[in-house]
Amino acid sequence: MVEEVYKLQHPGSCTGMFWRNHPGNVAESKSGGDDWPRNGSLLRGTVHEEFGDMKWLSVSSWKQSGASEWIESSGLWMPFEQGGPLLHKV
């Protein structure tokens, strides 16, 4: 699977988005997600479209907005929409 990078920008007044669990209700251990990504954060991962109507990103690493270091992660998921487009391809 090909990994892609997306910028998180909440379409409303929220300053970011909390991590989500696996959309298929699969129990996964989580790492690298002690903080939640703020608007402007970069998320790298694999796109999944097999969970109903919504696309999801399985995040393998991410960079907090304003930070210079990528954080390796596993078990972290982000929907592509939340009241409008949330993830934007870089």
Side-chain angles (χ1 to χ4, degrees), residues 32-72:
D34 294 338
D35 201 2
W36 50 278
R38 307 311 194 274
N39 288 335
S41 295
L42 298 178
L43 282 60
R44 178 183 296 132
T46 306
V47 178
H48 293 266
E49 299 187 55
E50 66 266 25
F51 301 112
D53 294 346
M54 191 181 305
K55 286 175 38 177
W56 289 84
L57 187 69
S58 172
V59 180
S60 62
S61 62
W62 68 288
K63 183 165 55 169
Q64 186 67 273
S65 178
S68 59
E69 300 289 323
W70 285 87
I71 302 167
E72 296 298 317

